[in-house]
Amino acid sequence: MELTVVGCSGSAPSPESQSPGYLLSSGDSRIVIELGNGTLGPLQEWIDPFDINALFPTHLHPDHCADFAPLVVHLRYRPNQPYDPKQHRLPVYAPPEAPSRLAAQYAPNAGQVAGTDLSDVFARHRAVRNFRRECLWSP
């Protein structure tokens, strides 16, 4: 098992580090814990975002989940996708209010928040035993 620190800066990225982001790798498994400000770019030095097996934001402050919106754009619109993200949605384990909070982060304006649906790229997945989070989007 290997833990890669992608970023560990505080509430905002610094010139030396991004906000929190960690890649946990073991065998063929790749789990991203936190996806804070500025982490998606450097994360790609270690892994293609299409190879992430699960995302675990511990909470929904921007320094722990701000790069969800860029990840949605990447999964939806990247040229030459290795697979259709709608057919292989990414499991996300997060606090129960995450779908609405992340939709608000992605929507271009307040009027479009209610119609913003991220379930095409993020999937519901059973919570692992003793992990105190609920998985979110419906299958």
Side-chain angles (χ1 to χ4, degrees):
M1 185 176 294
E2 180 179 350
L3 178 66
T4 302
V5 178
V6 179
C8 62
S9 191
S11 297
S14 72
E16 295 82 30
S17 180
Q18 294 71 39
S19 289
Y22 308 94
L23 172 62
L24 184 62
S25 305
S26 181
D28 292 335
S29 297
R30 304 288 181 267
I31 297 170
V32 173
I33 304 166
E34 315 294 19
L35 198 59
N37 316 33
T39 57
L40 183 60
L43 178 65
Q44 294 175 70
E45 292 179 30
W46 291 279
I47 186 172
D48 182 326
F50 278 87
D51 293 333
I52 299 171
N53 300 110
L55 285 171
F56 290 83
T58 59
H59 61 284
L60 299 173
H61 287 154
D63 58 320
H64 293 263
C65 68
D67 274 10
F68 266 79
L71 178 61
V72 171
V73 171
H74 184 88
L75 295 174
R76 283 180 175 167
Y77 305 114
R78 174 182 144 183
N80 303 314
Q81 297 171 337
Y83 59 82
D84 181 354
K86 294 176 185 172
Q87 300 300 314
H88 183 77
R89 294 176 299 150
L90 182 57
V92 176
Y93 297 87
E97 63 277 2
S100 60
R101 295 276 305 276
L102 297 175
Q105 181 191 78
Y106 183 80
N109 58 56
Q112 293 186 23
V113 171
T116 298
D117 180 10
L118 305 179
S119 66
D120 61 322
V121 292
F122 296 133
R124 181 177 205 108
H125 190 76
R126 271 185 189 246
V128 291
R129 190 173 178 190
N130 296 326
F131 191 78
R132 295 182 179 179
R133 298 280 177 223
E134 293 181 34
C135 197
L136 305 173
W137 291 270
S138 299

